[in-house]
Amino acid sequence: MAAGTINKVILIGNLGDDVKMHYFDDQNCVGRFPIATSESYTNKTTGEKVTSTDWHNIVVRNGLAKVCEKYLSKGDKVYVEGKLKNRQWEQDGVKRYSTEIHVNEMTMLSTKKNLETPNNTNPQQHQKPSAPAPKAVQEEENDDLPF
Amino acid sequence: MAAGTINKVILIGNLGDDVKMHYFDDQNCVGRFPIATSESYTNKTTGEKVTSTDWHNIVVRNGLAKVCEKYLSKGDKVYVEGKLKNRQWEQDGVKRYSTEIHVNEMTMLSTKKNLETPNNTNPQQHQKPSAPAPKAVQEEENDDLPF
Amino acid sequence: MAAGTINKVILIGNLGDDVKMHYFDDQNCVGRFPIATSESYTNKTTGEKVTSTDWHNIVVRNGLAKVCEKYLSKGDKVYVEGKLKNRQWEQDGVKRYSTEIHVNEMTMLSTKKNLETPNNTNPQQHQKPSAPAPKAVQEEENDDLPF
Amino acid sequence: MAAGTINKVILIGNLGDDVKMHYFDDQNCVGRFPIATSESYTNKTTGEKVTSTDWHNIVVRNGLAKVCEKYLSKGDKVYVEGKLKNRQWEQDGVKRYSTEIHVNEMTMLSTKKNLETPNNTNPQQHQKPSAPAPKAVQEEENDDLPF
DNA sequence: TTTT
DNA sequence: TTTT
């Protein structure tokens, strides 16, 4: 046990795909989607401008997963905050590793989904009461299950 | 190019090993070391306390790498801030992926190395002038090379 | 001296006013503007929804100040990152205190200014070479002057 | 209401004083303490090294306040994360302003208090069951009251 | 003083 | 696979 450690990731980027949901039962579900961040720099030797893009595997759970599924789609820009988690599993006898960002806070910075919805010019202004407001959304805290 | 993206990682954790240096030439070098973060949670079903540890591959360059090599060793606690970077390469014809944290700011929160140095009770207070102070150390900015 | 300290502020909010510039000389200038962040919560006793807004005094210098002046205006949404700084001065014999955010990184998340500019549909795509690109902009590092 | 805003402060610093508690009733209390962060820079004109210290007013509530009172004291180093909040009040007919950091996460990085406790070499390892573990402590979430 |  |  390593007390006094901090594991925090903050990203602003664009969804490379829609949110894929997986339901375990009525209560528990997980959503996954990729986010791209990029940066440009000038190659010192050649002098040319290079852009490099990094892809991040976002994982959200339960209520926050449902909000993401409802309001986010491919291309949207979001702010997310979470933790780096290493996952390993076996596939065809080969050990596979992957790094995920387990996100507990999400803020939409743009959205395509609801701009086309009739009678709903902006999802941040008019929300169906059954769903949490899609602004800064935090994960429920009373949740001790690992992913 | 994706303007307006943010890619930020903040970690406080302990070194799982010493800093491994690799020199490209006189000017350019890279240092690598693993950092562990952990968290405890209670398994809802079984009621038992579980601790999970995540390991992060830290990458530092040039001046900051030299500072890390000089002042950090296995077991030390550090604050680091950087970017998530995906690296892929081929090994024996198999594509390998790894996620690294390219760190540009480091602050020592404990050190073993220099506590044994005679006449130097605290490396943060009394530093040899030849080396940068081992407190909050930032990467030089005039650096356009990719890792 | 307190080695090993961290002072970091991350804000996403809207400009309450345009950037006000102050030039010291050819090289040095400072820009100031207010940013609003808000949050909503439900008053436990009365059950009514309350929104509270906080105003933050942003301070930028030199190159970053010029970028802010050029691309930001009242109402725009931005990401900024910086340090908390306390300033005190005397006015009419009374001590005054104020807290500022000295920002060294800024990313535009929306802009009004340049959407109206002819031949320039998006300031993030087409930038005059004399000015830095208005995406993620970082302060020059070779700067040891206090504000 | 301003959807899509972020207000985040991350500090590592030392307590300038003990935690001062104020109890409203059995359930609700608030704790306050100052944290110092510092930085050194070289004055360009004079060439001399200058250290500047900033003081931050930390505010914690309820469970987190009790943990802070129990484990933190003057001189300790802590990591805190929270929000910037502006407070204004009137004193003798004069409007007063102050900026506070409303903290919802705290991690102890050093402690004096419990090192002297018999049979308790490390408060992070051995905790009385009546109190939350003093490592990474988060505020309870089901709390809609403003400060 | 912003924004939704 | 995104975005500009």
Side-chain angles (χ1 to χ4, degrees), chain A residues 4 6 8 79 81 107 141, chain D residues 3-4 6 8 79 81 107 141:
Chain A
I6 295 289
K8 186 170 291 291
Y79 168 99
E81 191 182 325
T107 293
E141 281 304 304
Chain D
I6 296 289
K8 187 169 291 289
Y79 167 99
E81 190 182 327
T107 293
E141 279 305 303

Side-chain angles (χ1 to χ4, degrees), chain A residues 35-84:
Chain A
I35 283 183
T37 58
S38 355
E39 55 176 346
S40 305
Y41 59 89
T42 310
N43 184 311
K44 259 181 183 167
T45 338
T46 66
E48 62 184 338
K49 203 150 200 180
V50 187
T51 294
S52 87
T53 296
D54 288 283
W55 286 98
H56 312 281
N57 302 311
I58 307 300
V59 177
V60 283
R61 280 188 300 169
N62 303 337
L64 184 52
K66 286 168 191 162
V67 171
C68 289
E69 185 198 21
K70 188 163 187 180
Y71 295 106
L72 298 179
S73 55
K74 191 176 171 170
D76 285 340
K77 178 168 278 187
V78 284
Y79 168 99
V80 293
E81 191 182 325
K83 288 170 193 294
L84 271 172

Side-chain angles (χ1 to χ4, degrees), chain C residues 2-12 37-42 54-55 77 84-86 99 101 144 146, chain D residues 1-12 37-39 41-42 54-55 77 84-86 99 101 144 146:
Chain C
T5 68
I6 296 289
N7 176 351
K8 186 169 291 292
V9 180
I10 288 171
L11 301 173
I12 294 179
T37 58
S38 357
E39 58 177 343
S40 305
Y41 59 88
T42 309
D54 288 284
W55 287 97
K77 177 169 280 188
L84 271 171
K85 289 285 164 191
N86 304 125
T99 300
I101 322 286
D144 294 320
Chain D
M1 207 260 299
T5 68
I6 296 289
N7 177 349
K8 187 169 291 289
V9 180
I10 288 171
L11 300 174
I12 294 179
T37 57
S38 359
E39 56 176 344
Y41 59 88
T42 309
D54 288 283
W55 287 98
K77 178 169 279 187
L84 271 172
K85 288 286 163 189
N86 304 126
T99 300
I101 322 286
D144 294 321

Side-chain angles (χ1 to χ4, degrees), chain C residues 66-126:
Chain C
K66 285 168 192 162
V67 172
C68 289
E69 185 198 22
K70 188 162 186 181
Y71 294 106
L72 298 179
S73 55
K74 191 174 172 173
D76 284 341
K77 177 169 280 188
V78 282
Y79 168 99
V80 293
E81 190 182 326
K83 289 170 193 294
L84 271 171
K85 289 285 164 191
N86 304 125
R87 202 157 60 99
Q88 71 178 268
W89 72 99
E90 245 185 71
Q91 197 181 50
D92 308 321
V94 184
K95 265 204 176 141
R96 297 285 185 183
Y97 301 88
S98 120
T99 300
E100 301 171 333
I101 322 286
H102 287 201
V103 159
N104 46 53
E105 196 178 337
M106 186 275 296
T107 293
M108 292 169 34
L109 300 174
S110 85
T111 185
K112 284 167 179 157
K113 226 170 202 171
N114 294 67
L115 296 172
E116 303 132 21
T117 312
N119 303 325
N120 187 353
T121 47
N122 191 325
Q124 295 181 342
Q125 286 170 342
H126 181 71

Side-chain angles (χ1 to χ4, degrees), chain C residues 53-70:
Chain C
T53 297
D54 288 284
W55 287 97
H56 312 281
N57 302 311
I58 306 301
V59 177
V60 283
R61 278 188 301 168
N62 303 338
L64 184 51
K66 285 168 192 162
V67 172
C68 289
E69 185 198 22
K70 188 162 186 181

